[in-house]
Amino acid sequence: MPFSKDKKPLQAPPTEEKTVRTEGLFFKCDNCRQIIWKKELESNLNVCPKCDFHFKIGARHRLELLFDEGQYQEFDPNLTSTDPLNFFDRKSYRQRLEETQKAVGTKDALICARGKLGGREMIICAMEYSFIGGSMGAVMGEKITRAIEAALAEKRPLVIVSASGGARMMEGAFSLMQMAKISAALARLDEAGIPYISILTDPTTGGVTASFAMLGDLNVAEPGALIGFAGPRVIEQTIRQKLPKGFQRAEFLLEHGMIDAIVPRKELREYLINAFKFCLS
Amino acid sequence: MTDDPSRLPPGSDPDTVDLEDVKKQVHELRKRMGSRLTPWERVRLSRHELRPYTLDYVERLFTHFSEIHGDRRFGDDPAIVAGMALFHGEPVAVVGQQKGRNMKERLLRNYGMAQPEGYRKALRIMKFAEKFQRPVITLIDTPGAYPGIGAEERGQAEAIAYNLREMARLRVPIVCVVLGEGGSGGALGIGVGDRILMLENSVYSVISPESCSAILWKDQEHAEEAARALKLTPDYLYEFGLIDEVLPETGDGAHTDHATAAKTVDEALQRHLAEVSRLDPEERSRLRYEKFRRMGAVAEAAAKESLA
Ligand SMILES: [Zn+2]
């Protein structure tokens, strides 16, 4: 049955957004248009085995991939937004939060965990893009700040894996101020000589990029990740012209000297192990 | 006001009333008086083309202002002005976004939307001030950091991020005043300090009401509603503990009387600078950290409740 569907003339995806379309056991890669076994994609860390396109992965999956034997202890899982603005657009933020919490299975868009990487104790925070676009409100700000303070107190290195559209509108200036709060905590970590590596994955934009995601001792990106301050649509509307191909992709940032390295997902663990060997005895 | 016991919080003794309570009462009163303006009207006023801009304040508040140009890396961004000046006879560094009043000026100043080199220049001047133990005053008035190809190529995000971290640990006093538009990360990029003050008809927001409407309502028609939902006016931000003081404007707003607005800012700057200058650098640095550390702590309390 899936084949009959796939024989339809191929349509270009509506936006540049790449998604995995699962139809039973198969999926069609929106990047290379090839049809691949879903199992094969999963065993390849959600990277297309034909074209190497890096699809998004959830926070828990990410932590499993990075920590030794996929073992970690989550901390601060229960922090949740108080909806400080009592925000309402077409529906209430409170309702949006409840629905998202139910659908995603986390209280907000970030998971913080302790565990070992290459035998070394560390703290890794990973974002959950499916939770309101990985947006940063007071909960993410507080959790990252606590993670930094824990790294400082326990003298453990810190890794933050970003996947976020930026600050969360529904928490207004509270969201904005998280940028300053986290950056201030990172100043302390920096002074204490504790390494922090920022991993920028698709997409990392707005207030997340304009704060901690660009403040790593090393800032490394996954191939093809969209990384920027302003979103491509905002820029297009402002300058009223089409953006060049590949604009704001990881390769573009590397070329412009804005990131330190592009590391494929399957090499990320090894990269971090080596980098921390450089930073620490 | 303090001699009327009915105005005091229950259980407080009129003789021991503390300044914070009085400040809160004044704030409440002002809020009620100012509430005749809707948030959207405040947004419009914050952008009023006759509103005093950074250089209008520089002219009135300082003497011997001497501009310092360039980031020594790429260029000089006219959207941010920076320099040395005397404030009541004392040397200070001044940094602020500058808008233009006519088309020519607007284009030159890029509507007050800075490029990465603007943020890098700003920090360079702040570090210069730090080296010689001079306080820093920042004047915020921007729709946001410029969203353009060149800005992205040269690291707009990195420039802002770096400023946030470095301002957090700058060892000299920093007082920030939002004069008009406090546009998101572009405002915050020069907005980390010991004190954050806002003029009554200024706004400070994570996103413009127009963009918020476009994203959440999928059209441009709901900017007014978005302005209300975002709670971007100084009265709310003071209540939330995100800013330290709301500076009142007279008449119909600062655009009708630049001299009085300047006088208000002058008085507030003197007072806050004096307070934070008295602290030793270690203490000031600790307090600045704690100030931002507390922001958004509301989420923490609720989490504790939900755990119980
Ligand atoms: Zn593919």
Side-chain angles (χ1 to χ4, degrees), chain A residues 78-79 82 85 87 89-90 142 145-146 149 172 178 181 187-188 190-191 210-211 228-230 248 252 258, chain B residues 147 152-154 157 161 165 169 188 206 216-217 229-231 240 289 292-293 295 298-300 302-303 307:
Chain A
N78 289 314
L79 293 199
T82 57
L85 305 191
F87 193 91
D89 51 271
R90 289 175 305 165
E142 181 64 23
T145 307
R146 287 189 190 185
E149 288 173 342
Q178 302 311 307
K181 173 164 132 183
R188 291 190 163 186
D190 181 48
E191 270 153 34
S211 59
F229 173 67
Q248 291 184 315
F252 174 95
M258 287 303 148
Chain B
E152 295 289 324
E153 285 176 337
R154 298 191 299 278
R165 190 182 75 188
R169 62 176 160 191
L188 192 61
V206 68
L216 292 180
W217 280 268
L230 285 165
K231 300 206 165 48
F240 296 153
Y289 184 80
F292 285 93
R293 184 68 189 82
M295 295 183 183
V298 279
E300 210 178 335
L307 280 173

Side-chain angles (χ1 to χ4, degrees), chain A residues 76-81 107-108 139 142-143 146, chain B residues 299-300 303:
Chain A
D76 291 331
N78 289 314
L79 293 199
T80 182
S81 174
K107 291 261 187 272
D108 212 283
V139 171
E142 181 64 23
K143 284 179 82 162
R146 287 189 190 185
Chain B
E300 210 178 335

